[in-house]
Amino acid sequence: MAAKPAYILAMKLKALERTTADDRDYRDAIKLGIACRASTADELRDVFRMFFPEEALPLTVELRLRDLAQAIRKEAG
Amino acid sequence: MARAKRSDFAMALDEFVDEFYLDHPDKVAQQARLDPIPEPVGDPLADAWIGAAGEHLALRWGLRTPNWTQRAAHFALEQPHFLPDARALRGLIIVESPPAFRTRLIFTRAEPLARARFPHDAPRAQMPLEWPPPEESAENSPGNGPG
């Protein structure tokens, strides 16, 4: 059974803590945000908390949420 | 193929780093992975990443820095590159970017090559993001002992 997009988005948000040369986790998170209709920082946090209620997003990820939400809204049109 | 597309290049770099970590703690094997001279890609950013990764892995894991990492092609980036490219993180990564990256105008996190296969027995570089530090760690710091 395929994982739900919301779960993958929550995992991707966690993964934003790491660095890749092409920032692919961020690009994936934009697509997943559109699929999950999560387009504000609060909605992204809600998706994360749904699967990781005991965890807080790392500070460096928190600092990217606003940009991510903007990118999701821009790409979703 | 990895030379033609930046995302393929990033995947290839990640795979290289994974294999490097799988050799841990065999320093001879790790040095043997770093020493072969790569042909420059021709993209200043990709070449800067390759040079930075080669030099950083050597410095980070106590190996000999290969001479090829110092070629001009690996220092050809003319504008700073921020990764992640988030304005909110810019101040942070300017401070914590490791020397092998910052000298090539790449600004990134303190442990830019951390992957799932990063050796579990090795501490990861971290910058303190809280200031002042939590009371407990401040009390335990060397400068605060009885004296």
Side-chain angles (χ1 to χ4, degrees):
Chain A
M1 193 174 77
K4 289 180 180 172
Y7 179 66
I8 304 173
L9 175 58
M11 294 289 286
K12 280 288 170 188
L13 290 173
K14 236 178 157 178
L16 285 179
E17 173 70 352
R18 71 175 186 182
T19 310
T20 57
D22 56 356
D23 211 9
R24 83 181 76 97
D25 292 315
Y26 186 78
R27 289 188 287 108
D28 290 345
I30 293 172
K31 289 177 192 152
L32 289 160
I34 294 169
C36 298
R37 298 175 189 273
S39 59
T40 66
D42 281 341
E43 287 167 354
L44 290 166
R45 264 186 222 105
D46 287 345
V47 171
F48 180 77
R49 287 195 198 111
M50 198 188 311
F51 296 98
F52 302 102
E54 307 294 320
E55 293 183 41
L57 279 169
L59 177 60
T60 51
V61 178
E62 277 285 346
L63 288 172
R64 298 192 79 183
L65 283 189
R66 201 172 133 192
D67 282 353
L68 177 59
Q70 272 181 356
I72 291 168
R73 289 195 296 271
K74 188 177 170 190
E75 194 139 321
Chain B
M1 189 178 80
R3 291 169 178 271
K5 200 171 151 196
R6 188 163 290 167
S7 57
D8 290 339
F9 154 75
M11 290 280 203
L13 181 67
D14 286 347
E15 283 174 17
F16 173 82
V17 173
D18 278 341
E19 302 225 338
F20 179 89
Y21 291 149
L22 284 173
D23 283 334
H24 176 79
D26 184 343
K27 300 282 185 199
V28 174
Q30 288 185 315
Q31 187 72 56
R33 288 203 185 273
L34 291 185
D35 284 342
I37 303 171
E39 192 179 324
V41 172
D43 172 358
L45 179 57
D47 284 329
W49 261 98
I50 291 168
E55 183 180 336
H56 178 74
L57 287 171
L59 293 172
R60 173 72 178 76
W61 298 97
L63 304 171
R64 190 183 63 256
T65 303
N67 288 337
W68 64 258
T69 62
Q70 306 305 308
R71 294 180 298 184
H74 301 296
F75 290 88
L77 202 55
E78 293 190 350
Q79 297 290 326
H81 179 75
F82 298 94
L83 191 81
D85 187 17
R87 191 170 286 273
L89 286 180
R90 204 160 279 189
L92 178 77
I93 62 181
I94 284 174
V95 170
E96 70 173 45
S97 191
F101 288 85
R102 62 171 60 243
T103 53
R104 293 172 172 85
L105 291 184
I106 295 174
F107 295 92
T108 185
R109 305 296 312 280
E111 199 73 81
L113 302 177
R115 308 251 320 136
R117 291 205 168 98
F118 189 94
H120 292 295
D121 59 352
R124 296 189 185 208
Q126 281 186 324
M127 293 293 286
L129 295 177
E130 289 181 57
W131 191 263
E135 206 170 310
E136 190 180 335
S137 60
E139 284 172 1
N140 292 336
S141 71
N144 288 339

